[in-house]
Amino acid sequence: MMEVQIGGLVGLYGGAVIGILAWWFGRRMAKKQRGLDELHDHIWQKARSISWFFTLASLYLLFTLILFGMELRPAIVLAVIMVVHMTSWGFTGMILSINMNMSEPLKPSKVKFGIFIVALSVICFAILSITTGNWWFLLASVPPNTIGIIFALTPEKSSEEF
């Protein structure tokens, strides 16, 4: 007999409720400030399109782990895919929004390198967590992820400023 995991239910449905409320509140605030225009739609459609590439990469990574003999439970696989898709969509949308609203756009090479740092960190620590069965290793990915995001979103100082 399966026992009900109360924490899992609270996290699953509580996260959904908080996410929907945050989405609704954000759209309400953006509408008040006339932020829901064609540029907003373009940015978030582009972000969603790019996030599918990250999702595809995570699928290949998970299939590779299965081919190497790792036994992964369906709930874990679906959770990883969902987290990769939603976070890549959010971060890509954030980067595109910041870039479109800056006076001088971010350099694509810097953004790509920052995203590479984040992706490599997440992949390495996720594999380490999966292979050891200790999910606390994922916390170790927070500092490199923070560095990667800061690196990607910090514009380069031009030589005219010196």
Side-chain angles (χ1 to χ4, degrees):
M1 182 172 207
M2 275 181 67
E3 80 181 53
V4 176
Q5 295 180 2
I6 301 298
L9 288 173
V10 169
L12 182 67
Y13 292 106
V17 168
I18 290 171
I20 289 169
L21 287 174
W23 173 79
W24 175 79
F25 183 72
R27 294 219 18 121
R28 188 169 165 232
M29 296 302 290
K31 189 175 184 179
K32 283 182 181 177
Q33 297 176 356
R34 299 180 189 262
L36 299 178
D37 55 1
E38 293 86 16
L39 179 61
H40 174 269
D41 292 342
H42 171 73
I43 287 171
W44 288 100
Q45 286 173 357
K46 179 89 172 161
R48 191 169 39 250
S49 174
I50 292 170
S51 74
W52 277 107
F53 289 109
F54 286 98
T55 305
L56 182 63
S58 71
L59 284 170
Y60 271 92
L61 178 66
L62 291 168
F63 281 133
T64 303
L65 290 174
I66 291 169
L67 288 174
F68 278 114
M70 280 194 102
E71 292 186 26
L72 300 174
R73 293 184 294 175
I76 297 294
V77 171
L78 291 173
V80 167
I81 291 169
M82 186 176 80
V83 166
V84 166
H85 186 73
M86 297 302 284
T87 55
S88 63
W89 178 56
F91 282 127
T92 304
M94 181 180 65
I95 291 169
L96 291 173
S97 295
I98 289 170
N99 201 30
M100 290 286 198
N101 293 313
M102 291 179 71
S103 58
E104 189 173 324
L106 298 170
K107 293 197 175 211
S109 60
K110 243 186 120 175
V111 173
K112 287 177 185 175
F113 184 70
I115 290 172
F116 174 75
I117 290 171
V118 172
L120 184 66
S121 167
V122 168
I123 289 170
C124 289
F125 285 108
I127 290 172
L128 185 62
S129 294
I130 290 169
T131 55
T132 62
N134 185 355
W135 295 101
W136 288 101
F137 281 115
L138 284 176
L139 286 177
S141 72
V142 172
N145 290 345
T146 306
I147 291 168
I149 290 169
I150 290 171
F151 187 83
L153 299 180
T154 304
E156 276 189 17
K157 294 180 182 177
S158 63
S159 58
E160 298 169 5
E161 292 179 15
F162 292 114

